[in-house]
Amino acid sequence: MALPFLNGVVGTAAMAKPGVSAAAAGELKNELQRLVREIAEEDDGQIGTYEEAARVLAALKQVTFAGRGVSNGTPRSPLANQRRTDERMDSASVPEHFRCPISSELMKDPVVLASGQTYDRPFIQEWLNSGNRTCPQSHQILPNTILTPNHLVHRMISQWCIEHDVSLPPLDNEQDEDKGLITVTEKNVLDGLLQKICSPSSVMEQKRALSELRLLTKCKRSFRALIGENDDAISQLLAVPSIPELSADPKVQEDTVTTILNISINETNKKIVGDNPQAIPFLIDALKAGRIETCSNSAAALFSLSALDSNKLKIGELGAMKPLIELLEQGSSSAKKDAGSAIFSLCLVHENRARAVSGGVLGVVLKAITDRSLVNESLAILALLSSNQEAIEEIAETGGVPCLLSIIRESSCARNKENAVAVLYSICMYDRKRLREVGEEEDSNGIISQLVQNGTSRARRKAAGILDKWKRTLRLHYSC
């Protein structure tokens, strides 16, 4: 159906008369609704239908604003628009064809999939990024994953927003990526799970809800962001293991610890979790008394939280170092790696280095290096602690020099050689006896000279410093 006034009714004479303008707008709206329904219902819509709808929309815009006596909508600040958006959305029923089929929310960046269906770009992109190669609506196998902007629908949504005084949501930027793509359904699911977790009516229901929350926070970054936005969620989660019927259940403790680990992956949540007075003590208690998987995940959570210096200090002050060292010594292979990573991160702040040394970390890492069981992490910890005089003295006195020399001789890893020679450098600068030991190894095998030639830049500097110190010591000896 071609409307007769499309070619001329939007002229000056028509727009000058309110009655004519209102009638024209009504007919245009009816025609636009028909065209939109046709586009929404047909999987293989014709391009002519889209073009006709675009013409009708343009004509409607001209008639509508001409009737108001303005060339565009009344200016309003973005902040004012944002404050009114929720109220306007509540009072105005968003047409279904303006909603993304995945999120059920007003589309911000509508795109057409190869199947012909229209989705909001971030949601369909996440669907595709998850490995799906079918259309969520039609289940049709996609010949490609190209997303084509649907300019017509975008203009129609913009027009609808103007007419209903609703601010079109801005497109997401890169800084918002970690927040995830949150849908109304996900918000409802989280609220439902938290209600079940806090409900005293059914222990089994609480356990199932906790287990489901663990899985969702692992798989969906949107749920991790959602929990951070809920002021009470973390406290409600941490209250579960203290429920008398659940306090002795190791699975409940493991699920809670792992959920905290998952939540802490979100950068914003690291501070939120760290600032909760219950969170870090709970993780430390789990580290001391949990099953091995629980201990491993607790160490991983502490490592994740320690990305913030403020959390590093809290974790050290609250007593995490000793149980982490015990896990490094006695845990499974994966648990040792988690503990080693956490210890290294915590020792990046000076205050925690003394705690690590007094907690016995040096003996544990030297044994690990000797056993070749956790060499990379152990050498990194030693190198970090080599600025601590007490640590250097203990390494020298407990057979650390031969252990480190063996790494330089045998290892094929440049980073491990770098860390080993960095520790040796610190030892040789104060201990003449150990310097002689290193010098004799150099005279026999030339391993320090080889590092000067072939090591990393840091390894070359440290190795050159050792050789210089050794040569000066020899000259002084012979001059006497």
Side-chain angles (χ1 to χ4, degrees), residues 58 63 122 181 231 237 254 296 349 352 382 385 387 401 466 475:
V63 169
L181 304 171
D231 294 337
L237 176 64
E254 181 183 327
S296 181
V349 295
N352 285 333
L382 279 185
L385 294 176
S387 61
V401 171
I466 292 173
R475 283 198 298 269

Side-chain angles (χ1 to χ4, degrees), residues 197 206-214 237 252 255-256:
I197 286 173
Q206 288 174 305
K207 293 171 67 173
R208 279 194 294 268
L210 180 59
S211 181
E212 185 175 351
L213 188 60
R214 169 183 174 172
L237 176 64
V252 169
D255 284 345
T256 308

Side-chain angles (χ1 to χ4, degrees), residues 8-21:
V9 79
V10 292
T12 305
M15 290 186 292
K17 301 177 181 179
V20 175
S21 178

Side-chain angles (χ1 to χ4, degrees), residues 378-448:
S378 297
L379 283 168
I381 292 171
L382 279 185
L384 191 58
L385 294 176
S386 63
S387 61
N388 182 288
Q389 185 61 32
E390 183 181 347
I392 287 301
E393 292 175 3
E394 184 176 338
I395 294 169
E397 293 169 1
T398 55
V401 171
C403 177
L404 295 168
L405 288 172
S406 71
I407 291 294
I408 297 175
R409 280 196 308 269
E410 302 168 10
S411 177
S412 60
C413 176
R415 182 65 64 186
N416 286 348
K417 289 185 176 184
E418 174 190 312
N419 286 330
V421 77
V423 179
L424 285 176
Y425 174 85
S426 297
I427 294 173
C428 291
M429 291 304 104
Y430 96 94
D431 191 327
R432 289 186 178 181
K433 180 180 178 181
R434 309 305 169 191
L435 173 62
R436 187 179 305 110
E437 187 176 350
V438 175
E440 291 172 353
E441 173 70 26
E442 163 65 18
D443 292 342
S444 300
N445 299 306
I447 61 173
I448 306 300

